[in-house]
Amino acid sequence: MATPLEEQGIRLDKWLWAARFYKTRAIAREMVDGGKVHYNGQRSKPSKLVEIGAEIRLRQGNDERTIIVNALSIQRRGANEAQQLYQETPESVIKRENISQSRKLNALTMPHPDRRPDKKERRNLIKFKYGDDE
């Protein structure tokens, strides 16, 4: 027998907030509206009703995750309980680890300077970048 929550469903933005992917429902709604969240392979609205077994692909900064919905929840709970609401696909985990590793290797090849350039160095950088058109 289905629970009342499963019969009624829950909004996508509310589920993303309850599963702790985004800090507020407003941010979750913006991400869905902005096309950062795909429900079963398609862009959707924040009011889309989430079903158990649905595939959600979401982007958070440089990371892209593909998850399967295991349970529904209206309330935002602790991180351990929130992780029980979904399961990340193995392909998504491997892809995220590969991208993370390549970012780390890229950071080693492009070291950052020890300090910010001062005013004179900034002017010289601007002249070098845009040319001396005076």
Side-chain angles (χ1 to χ4, degrees), residues 5 7 12 14 36 46-48 53 55 64 75 88 107 117 121 124 129:
L5 183 61
E7 291 173 359
L12 179 59
K14 195 167 191 177
K36 305 283 191 229
S47 61
K48 175 75 175 165
E55 180 182 280
E64 185 172 326
Q75 295 179 330
E88 190 171 1
E121 291 170 340
N124 289 335
K129 187 173 180 180

Side-chain angles (χ1 to χ4, degrees), residues 1-132:
M1 184 166 176
T3 64
L5 183 61
E6 291 174 357
E7 291 173 359
Q8 294 174 351
I10 182 172
R11 291 172 53 106
L12 179 59
D13 61 342
K14 195 167 191 177
W15 187 87
L16 290 168
W17 167 77
R20 294 184 159 263
F21 286 107
Y22 300 107
K23 196 169 185 175
T24 64
R25 276 188 65 191
I27 294 171
R29 187 176 59 245
E30 287 175 16
M31 293 297 125
V32 175
D33 282 336
K36 305 283 191 229
V37 178
H38 291 254
Y39 184 82
N40 285 335
Q42 297 178 355
R43 281 185 70 165
S44 63
K45 295 183 178 180
S47 61
K48 175 75 175 165
L49 296 180
V50 177
E51 302 169 345
I52 293 177
E55 180 182 280
I56 298 176
R57 194 175 78 234
L58 55 107
R59 181 175 271 287
Q60 293 177 305
N62 292 327
D63 294 334
E64 185 172 326
R65 298 173 185 239
T66 304
I67 59 169
I68 306 295
V69 177
N70 289 340
L72 303 177
S73 176
I74 293 176
Q75 295 179 330
R76 186 176 171 102
R77 307 246 176 174
N80 292 334
E81 293 180 42
Q83 289 176 348
Q84 303 302 318
L85 298 178
Y86 63 91
Q87 177 182 1
E88 190 171 1
T89 61
E91 298 85 20
S92 174
V93 172
I94 292 170
K95 186 177 177 182
R96 273 192 316 113
E97 288 174 353
N98 289 342
I99 291 172
S100 174
Q101 188 69 16
S102 65
R103 266 198 321 262
K104 288 178 185 175
L105 291 174
N106 192 25
L108 293 175
T109 60
M110 294 178 16
H112 296 289
D114 295 335
R115 61 179 179 77
R116 294 178 57 181
D118 61 15
K119 192 171 186 177
K120 184 175 182 183
E121 291 170 340
R122 267 197 318 273
R123 286 180 181 159
N124 289 335
L125 286 171
I126 290 170
K127 282 181 187 177
F128 176 76
K129 187 173 180 180
Y130 298 110
D132 201 12

